[in-house]
């Protein structure tokens, strides 16, 4: 399944999308976690500026 998901992102509308990974610190434990999302190229800046 992963191969199909990747191949569909590379063709057509996939060129306008980017996979973003952000490191987020937990307020409770202080540990870091990673937040991943596939975001349109126009919204990348908003993804990284968002606090949660």
């Amino acid at each position: 399944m992963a191969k199909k998901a990747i191949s569909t992102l590379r063709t057509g509308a996939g060129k306008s999308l980017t996979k973003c990974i952000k490191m987020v610190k937990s307020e409770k434990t202080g540990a870091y976690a990673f937040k991943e999302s596939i975001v349109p190229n126009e919204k990348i800046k908003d993804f990284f500026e968002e606090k949660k």
Side-chain angles (χ1 to χ4, degrees):
M1 250 190 159
K3 285 186 177 181
K4 185 171 184 172
I6 291 171
S7 65
T8 57
L9 287 176
R10 290 185 181 172
T11 60
K15 292 182 180 181
S16 64
L17 300 173
T18 303
K19 182 176 182 179
C20 298
I21 302 171
K22 177 170 57 171
M23 193 164 61
V24 181
K25 187 173 184 178
S26 172
E27 293 178 11
K28 271 187 168 178
T29 62
Y32 286 94
F34 293 96
K35 181 179 177 185
E36 297 182 22
S37 184
I38 297 175
V39 181
N41 290 341
E42 301 82 33
K43 306 277 183 171
I44 292 173
K45 197 172 201 178
D46 297 333
F47 174 77
F48 286 110
E49 289 177 352
E50 143 187 323
K51 294 293 177 184
K52 274 193 172 185

